[in-house]
Amino acid sequence: MAQGSSHAHTSTPHRVAVIVDEGTNPFEVGVATELFGLPRPELGLARPLYELTLCAPAPDIRMNHGFFRLSGVAGLDAVDSADTLLVPGRPDNVVPRAASVRDAIRRTHARGARIVSFCTGSFALAEAGLLDGRRATTHWRWADSFRKLHPKVLLEPDVLFVDEGDVLSSAGSAAALDLGLHLVRRDHGAEIANAVSRRLVFAAHRDGGQRQFVERPLPEVPDESLAPLLAWAQERLGDPLTVADLAAHAAVSAATLHRRFRTQLGTTPLAWLTGERIALACRLIERGEERLDVVAARCGLGTAANLRARLRRETGLSPSAYRRRFGPAPGEPVGS
């Protein structure tokens, strides 16, 4: 993994600092708190996964539209001990951030910490000079403004999030959850991320390349929800399922199924099926399964060679490197 990643078996929590600026969106601060600031007793871990600190450029901060005011938090010097710095968005994006905020972002990045933006927080990262020549995203509504203000950034306005290793950005506010769970998965593996997503009652893994804007029309009769089909397929990932099989089980044509996946999930049936198989492969490796042919068979990826290629493309790691990073520690009981 890239800079800023932490290992699931390290002895100290990964330190996350969140800059709360004038006008910051409270929802995104809440997402950061939910993902990185709460204890996880259900995981049975000896220590927290993360240590969260809120910091601000002033002692009293008025958040978006004055619905909340924040006081009594750390100053911006708190970023100097962070492993990850998170910058939420705000509505007045054409107004530059304060010099103190830009400086805090720059110096945190300069010493090698991971920098993350939620929604229009990418404007702040661009103002600090971190995104020139790099891929990034932001809320679709602000894409044109972003391009005009920051033409050197390789903006991808139609994705959920972009992972550039040491600098990551998410699209609209809800996509902050997708990027946050991606970070948990990157830091601690699929098993932990899946447990956190269950706590949130949220989809465990949506690939960053999925569409940012997903149409959700009012359901017609009969119900066209994909939920029953997804649950059915998840129980049969080891079977040689095809898109035709999914369509047959849903009693619709392949074209209709494709349209429903695009409308409801922002992806294709094949991409969803492949993503679920890779996530299952990661969980099996994390539980201690070392036989790649067994992992490939159980998750429906066919061969060990295909598993290696898919896992490397998804995580940037070979199966052996993934096992060293996220598998059971020496002496730790192997899961089922």
Side-chain angles (χ1 to χ4, degrees):
M1 294 296 173
Q3 287 175 280
S5 296
S6 62
H7 192 288
H9 304 298
T10 52
S11 58
T12 58
H14 185 106
R15 294 164 297 187
V16 178
V18 180
I19 292 182
V20 184
D21 200 2
E22 191 76 21
T24 288
N25 188 343
F27 178 84
E28 291 155 29
V29 177
V31 169
T33 303
E34 189 74 35
L35 286 168
F36 307 117
L38 298 184
R40 305 284 177 198
E42 69 274 15
L43 298 180
L45 301 176
R47 60 164 181 83
L49 296 175
Y50 297 95
E51 178 183 289
L52 182 73
T53 301
L54 301 182
C55 59
D60 183 71
I61 290 292
R62 178 182 180 271
M63 300 176 72
N64 195 350
H65 293 96
F67 288 120
F68 298 94
R69 298 190 76 92
L70 187 68
S71 60
V73 299
L76 290 180
D77 56 351
V79 306
D80 296 327
S81 59
D83 301 306
T84 291
L85 175 60
L86 200 157
V87 185
R90 67 179 193 185
D92 53 344
N93 300 297
V94 296
V95 179
R97 303 273 178 148
S100 60
V101 173
R102 298 196 302 270
D103 178 67
I105 295 171
R106 289 192 194 101
R107 72 173 186 265
T108 305
H109 180 255
R111 63 175 176 78
R114 182 170 63 189
I115 311 296
V116 178
S117 68
F118 283 170
C119 195
T120 57
S122 52
F123 279 78
L125 272 53
E127 290 165 17
L130 270 59
L131 298 181
D132 286 355
R134 307 183 76 162
R135 296 163 52 246
T137 192
T138 194
H139 193 289
W140 60 267
R141 185 185 176 199
W142 294 97
D144 290 342
S145 297
F146 189 97
R147 286 195 183 97
K148 291 176 182 177
L149 288 170
H150 307 291
K152 295 181 181 179
V153 181
L154 307 179
L155 186 68
E156 297 188 3
D158 195 31
V159 298
L160 293 178
F161 61 83
V162 171
D163 182 345
E164 283 281 276
D166 59 334
V167 179
L168 302 90
S169 53
S170 78
S173 295
L177 280 165
D178 293 292
L179 178 53
L181 284 169
H182 172 74
L183 292 173
V184 176
R185 188 169 187 257
R186 202 176 100 166
D187 292 343
H188 300 288
E191 194 76 20
I192 294 291
N194 203 45
V196 174
S197 73
R198 286 197 301 270
R199 167 91 172 252
L200 294 171
V201 196
F202 189 75
H205 176 65
R206 290 202 296 170
D207 183 79
Q210 291 186 31
R211 287 193 305 163
Q212 183 178 148
F213 179 70
V214 180
E215 298 173 4
R216 297 190 184 275
L218 292 174
E220 300 175 356
V221 178
D223 182 13
E224 294 186 351
S225 170
L226 288 172
L229 176 64
L230 302 185
W232 176 84
Q234 286 168 331
E235 294 176 354
R236 295 165 175 81
L237 293 175
D239 296 345
L241 289 178
T242 64
V243 174
D245 294 327
L246 297 180
H249 184 76
V252 298
S253 68
T256 296
L257 185 71
H258 192 280
R259 174 181 58 78
R260 291 184 185 177
F261 265 78
R262 278 294 189 189
T263 299
Q264 296 182 37
L265 300 180
T267 189
T268 66
L270 181 59
W272 177 85
L273 190 58
T274 301
E276 290 297 309
R277 284 172 164 158
I278 294 170
L280 176 57
C282 289
R283 293 197 296 272
L284 292 172
I285 293 172
E286 290 171 25
R287 292 170 183 171
E289 179 56 70
E290 298 183 355
R291 298 164 296 176
L292 294 188
D293 55 339
V294 172
V295 174
R298 288 183 62 183
C299 67
L301 290 174
T303 66
N306 189 39
L307 170 62
R308 289 189 186 94
R310 296 283 186 176
L311 191 68
R312 184 178 291 278
R313 186 167 68 180
E314 174 66 24
T315 69
L317 297 173
S318 66
S320 58
Y322 191 91
R323 184 182 302 111
R324 286 194 299 271
R325 189 170 194 82
F326 298 119
E332 182 178 340
V334 174
S336 58

